[in-house]
């Protein structure tokens, strides 16, 4: 396993050839991993197109980061709790969230599990143990740490995962969470997708550290660097961190070195601050292309599999969009739920008035 300041752990080279011992993954799961990475990319393309058409308000892509998202999601148990940042919607998708639920959340309609209360693309779902997050950077990390403390007290064998970007390591919440997690030896994995950019700020202008992973040393637990575009390496590093946490040995910080191929969000124009040559360079390290080459060379991927999957995924997304756009807004009474166990009379009066006014309009 790569230590904090070393070359990231790599098991597949950019051409898809094995560069180390692959983790034990059944062939059918290897196919699932590639299909899911492809699903994430196609979904990004379709949802960004919807945003440009004005049919949803906001979207943040994970294009180029599919291996980091998918490989880590594969390593967690269904009973573990996930505390995401912006580019981990694919984790929920892996754990059972449907495409229609995602589109409904982006619209904020009656089918949205969050009842229209969150910004688009700020997905969470109790059913897949994914906790709500905020655009305020790093706030999910103390929550992940606190939930890990609860897991330690319960002794239920579960862990928590706090996802973050490289920019979050400059936020105070990261350091507070890491400090408590280290002192209490909590079962938490801090998984950093180092995509080289905190919106428009490059990594070199954000930290003088040799790496992100090295920051863990100050809090008394290991930091691991991994090639974030190598799904096999991500699986291996994530599994090792999860096993360590479940043995009661405490947290791990994983730095998945990857690259944000698009803008920070649909509101961003990266051409204003980023050299196109840098994007071209990282295109040669594309995680889907790398994994596809490996599976094809080992006979796990058939000649027509990817084309068939792409068509299936596009059909699934089209059906999800059609179903989601047919749904009405959240009911007016949902504005008054989930604050009081029993609504006080003056709130009941306001709710009835709001419903009546809604019926009139």
């Amino acid at each position: 396993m790569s230590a904090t300041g070393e070359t990231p752990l790599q098991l597949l080279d950019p051409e898809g050839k094995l560069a180390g011992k692959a983790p034990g993954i059944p062939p059918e799961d290897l196919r699932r991993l590639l299909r899911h990475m492809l699903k994430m990319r196609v979904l990004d393309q379709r949802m960004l197109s919807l945003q440009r058409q004005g049919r949803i308000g906001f979207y943040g892509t994970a294009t180029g980061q599919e291996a980091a998202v998918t490989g880590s999601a594969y390593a967690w148990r269904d009973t573990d709790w996930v505390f995401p940042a912006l580019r981990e919607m694919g984790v929920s998708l892996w754990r059972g969230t449907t495409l229609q639920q995602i589109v409904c959340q982006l619209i904020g309609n009656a089918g949205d599990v969050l009842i229209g209360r969150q910004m688009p693309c700020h997905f969470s779902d109790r059913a897949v143990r994914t906790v709500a997050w905020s655009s305020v950077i790093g706030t999910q990390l103390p929550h992940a740490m606190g939930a890990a403390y609860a897991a330690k007290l319960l002794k239920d064998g579960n862990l928590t995962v706090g996802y973050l970007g490289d920019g979050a390591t400059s936020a105070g919440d990261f350091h507070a969470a890491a400090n408590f997690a280290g002192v209490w030896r909590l079962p938490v994995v801090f998984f950093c997708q180092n995509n080289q950019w905190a919106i428009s700020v490059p990594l070199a202008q954000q930290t003088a550290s040799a790496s992100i992973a090295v920051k863990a040393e100050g809090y008394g637990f290991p930091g691991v660097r991994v090639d974030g575009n190598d799904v096999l390496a991500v699986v291996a590093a994530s599994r090792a961190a999860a096993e360590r946490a479940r043995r009661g040995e405490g947290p791990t910080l994983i730095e998945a070195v990857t690259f944000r191929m698009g803008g920070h969000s649909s509101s961003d124009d990266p051409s204003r601050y980023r050299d196109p040559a840098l994007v071209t360079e990282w295109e040669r390290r594309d995680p889907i292309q790398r994994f596809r080459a490996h599976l094809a060379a080992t006979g796990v991927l058939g000649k027509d599999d990817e084309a068939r999957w792409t068509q299936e995924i596009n059909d699934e997304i089209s059906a999800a969009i059609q179903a989601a756009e047919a749904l009405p807004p959240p009911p007016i009474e949902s504005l008054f739920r989930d604050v009081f166990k029993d609504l006080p009379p003056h709130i009941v009066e306001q709710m009835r008035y709001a419903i009546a006014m809604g019926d009139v309009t």
Side-chain angles (χ1 to χ4, degrees), residues 38-239:
L38 185 64
K39 190 175 191 177
M40 286 181 60
R41 184 161 298 185
V42 175
L43 180 64
D44 276 356
Q45 294 165 350
R46 296 288 300 273
M47 294 304 101
L48 191 59
S49 176
L50 279 193
Q51 193 278 333
R52 298 303 191 228
Q53 297 170 47
R55 292 158 74 181
I56 60 175
F58 174 91
Y59 193 76
T61 67
T63 301
Q65 300 177 221
E66 296 90 351
V69 173
T70 305
S72 61
Y74 182 74
W76 320 135
R77 294 178 183 170
D78 290 344
T79 52
D80 295 331
W81 283 92
V82 173
F83 293 75
L86 174 57
R87 304 186 204 282
E88 286 80 33
M89 200 154 58
V91 176
S92 293
L93 197 59
W94 178 267
R95 291 163 75 90
T97 295
T98 67
L99 287 169
Q100 184 174 330
Q101 287 174 318
I102 286 174
V103 179
C104 284
Q105 197 280 322
L106 293 168
I107 295 171
N109 62 21
D112 177 10
V113 296
L114 303 175
I115 331 175
R117 294 174 179 170
Q118 262 281 27
M119 284 181 60
C121 215
H122 289 50
F123 189 83
S124 63
D125 185 1
R126 185 190 301 268
V128 294
R129 296 201 169 195
T130 302
V131 181
W133 61 280
S134 167
S135 277
V136 179
I137 301 300
T139 55
Q140 72 277 11
L141 302 177
H143 302 160
M145 177 275 298
Y149 194 9
K152 182 174 182 177
L153 294 175
L154 291 170
K155 299 179 180 179
D156 58 9
N158 292 329
L159 59 83
T160 66
V161 185
Y163 283 96
L164 62 149
D166 45 290
T169 65
S170 296
D173 280 340
F174 165 76
H175 299 279
N179 190 50
F180 279 114
V183 169
W184 291 332
R185 296 171 67 86
L186 299 180
V188 57
V189 178
F190 298 111
F191 191 98
C192 176
Q193 291 203 68
N194 176 6
N195 66 15
Q196 315 299 313
W197 296 90
I199 307 183
S200 60
V201 179
L203 183 66
Q205 292 183 22
Q206 181 175 179
T207 181
S209 297
S211 68
I212 297 295
V214 75
K215 296 175 186 284
E217 292 184 0
Y219 299 107
F221 57 88
V224 176
R225 299 191 83 208
V226 61
D227 183 341
N229 285 15
D230 176 354
V231 68
L232 297 185
V234 173
V235 170
S238 300
R239 276 182 174 173

